[in-house]
């Protein structure tokens, strides 16, 4: 029996209890959220996890880290270093997006090393193994797709992105009405090309019932991909993005009825003033299904700093109800990220998620901020360092002009606000005595 089936039967599973404890809510709240499809627990029945991750209504905003080698650069040692960074700095999930080289080998190593749920995009492997090696003719079969999906789930993958919402009709219309930024989803491009080349419906859409059978067998979460997400802010909320969202909303409802957990993937690029509307639209169309947003990136001109621009959009999205943020790194649109850039992106988006949760969850999210304020007012540096997202970096900056953390920082020095008033108070008290 899957998590959602157990929840609908009124049962609280061990996973639900663990999630409730981590989130600071009752197990019944988690059970009811899973039963309604508004909460998902990312876990394959074949995999033991050190850290469970759930996302959805009333829960903390989660952050996903993308990693994985490419056809241009394959280095297992680097990718394992990225997994270690994700473990150390608190990523809530990892997506292995390896699209070249030994894809099976890389995925299995990521699964062994990662403490948290791991997701994939199976169509990348299909493309690499069955298209690029066949002179780029997209003549793989429906069975090729589902066989790769089954192989990855047998390995223990906890959630998969499947581009279910892009239909043959939408692919044809894309050729007739050009977007400014085109189609920026790699998986979406492959599925559109397959449908157009073969003059057949996208099998992830037409054979969705079979996909549900496989997903149900492993009790994984389907992440319904945004093949037609806007890749530039001029394309935000165009007919293609909305049409795909409507398709995915219908399929998500069908998935829940079949006992399969599902979440919806959301936009990449979007002006800041449209983000709130986008979150509300997804929640309304899907009856509150968890929303996994990519960024959101509110400008197209921040190359080299897309992790900062994305964190701005991500914080707003989280505050309005987005459930998981897919991080961006400084290398977005430029290069495969190196380990240090993975760390920068993860921390930027952990901050964004927390900023959003202060609004979304109120007191449940503000405890650390109150502790930090108290520690600052008493110049308790060890406490301050323990509350930061990157303790080592904070200590390094604090001590760059002094040997050890004590007293004031070198910005204010002797004029530290937490030193001046206490001195006056002590002087007055001595005068009175």
């Amino acid at each position: 029996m899957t998590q959602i089936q157990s929840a609908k039967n009124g049962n609280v599973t061990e996973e639900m209890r663990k999630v409730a404890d981590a989130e600071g809510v009752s197990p019944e709240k988690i059970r009811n959220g899973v039963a309604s499809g508004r909460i998902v627990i990312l876990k394959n029945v074949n995999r033991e996890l050190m850290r469970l991750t759930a996302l959805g209504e009333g829960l903390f905003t989660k952050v996903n880290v993308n990693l994985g080698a490419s056809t241009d650069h394959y280095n297992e040692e680097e990718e394992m270093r990225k997994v270690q960074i994700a473990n150390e700095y608190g990523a809530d999930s990892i997506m292995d997006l390896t699209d070249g080289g030994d894809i099976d080998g890389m995925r299995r190593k990521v699964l062994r090393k990662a403490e948290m749920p791991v997701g994939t995009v199976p169509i990348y492997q299909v493309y690499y193994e069955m298209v690029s090696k066949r002179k780029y003719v997209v003549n793989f079969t429906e069975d090729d797709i589902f066989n790769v999906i089954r192989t990855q789930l047998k390995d223990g993958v906890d959630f998969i992105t499947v581009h279910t919402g892009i239909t043959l009709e939408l692919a044809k219309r894309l050729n007739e009405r050009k977007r400014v930024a085109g189609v920026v989803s790699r998986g979406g491009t492959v599925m559109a090309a397959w449908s157009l080349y073969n003059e057949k419906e996208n099998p992830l859409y037409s054979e969705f019932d079979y996909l549900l059978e496989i997903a149900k067998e492993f009790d994984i979460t389907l992440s319904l991909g945004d093949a037609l997400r806007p890749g530039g802010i001029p394309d935000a909320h165009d007919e293609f993005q909305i049409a795909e969202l409507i398709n995915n909303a219908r399929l998500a409802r069908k998935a829940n009825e079949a006992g399969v957990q599902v979440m919806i993937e959301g936009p990449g690029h979007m002006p800041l003033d449209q983000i709130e509307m986008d979150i509300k639209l997804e929640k309304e169309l899907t009856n509150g299904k968890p929303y996994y947003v990519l960024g959101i990136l509110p400008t197209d001109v921040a190359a080299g700093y897309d992790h900062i621009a994305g964190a701005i959009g991500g914080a707003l999205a989280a505050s309005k109800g987005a459930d998981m943020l897919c991080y961006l790194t400084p290398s977005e649109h430029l290069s495969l990220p190196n380990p240090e850039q993975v760390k920068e992106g993860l921390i930027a988006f952990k901050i964004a998620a927390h900023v959003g949760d202060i609004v979304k969850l109120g007191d449940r999210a503000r405890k650390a901020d109150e502790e930090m304020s108290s520690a600052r007012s008493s110049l308790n540096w060890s406490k301050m360092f323990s509350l930061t997202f990157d303790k080592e970096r904070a200590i390094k900056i604090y001590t760059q002009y002094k040997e050890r953390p004590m007293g004031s920082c070198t910005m204010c020095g002797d004029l530290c606000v937490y030193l001046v008033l206490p001195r006056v108070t002590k002087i007055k008290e001595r005068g009175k005595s």
Side-chain angles (χ1 to χ4, degrees), residues 203-269:
L204 295 173
Y205 178 81
S206 61
E207 303 295 328
F208 190 68
D209 287 341
Y210 182 49
L211 176 62
L212 292 180
E213 288 180 24
I214 300 173
K216 187 175 179 180
E217 180 181 345
F218 297 92
D219 197 10
I220 58 102
T221 297
L222 293 177
S223 186
L224 304 190
D226 48 352
L228 300 177
R229 66 179 180 269
I233 60 175
D235 297 327
H237 291 120
D238 67 3
E239 62 174 294
F240 300 108
Q241 179 195 347
I242 302 305
E244 181 182 42
L245 177 59
I246 291 171
N247 286 342
N248 279 338
R250 292 173 180 149
L251 295 174
R253 191 159 49 247
K254 189 173 186 179
N256 281 175
E257 291 170 354
V260 174
Q261 297 183 100
V262 67
M263 58 188 177
I264 307 291
E265 292 187 15
H269 298 237

Side-chain angles (χ1 to χ4, degrees), residues 83 103 131 148 279 360 370 433:
V83 175
I103 296 177
V131 177
V148 167
I279 307 297
K360 183 166 65 177
E370 293 170 1
S433 62

Side-chain angles (χ1 to χ4, degrees), residues 68-75 79 97-101 186 336:
S70 75
T71 53
D72 282 349
H73 185 75
Y74 188 100
N75 185 307
E79 297 311 313
L97 304 184
T98 299
D99 61 8
R186 285 180 287 177
L336 189 74

Side-chain angles (χ1 to χ4, degrees), residues 102-123:
D102 184 3
I103 296 177
D104 286 330
M106 183 69 80
R107 179 178 65 255
R108 289 160 187 163
K109 288 186 176 182
V110 170
L111 284 163
R112 286 195 295 269
K113 191 175 183 65
E115 298 175 356
M116 71 294 285
V118 172
T120 60
V121 185
I123 198 64

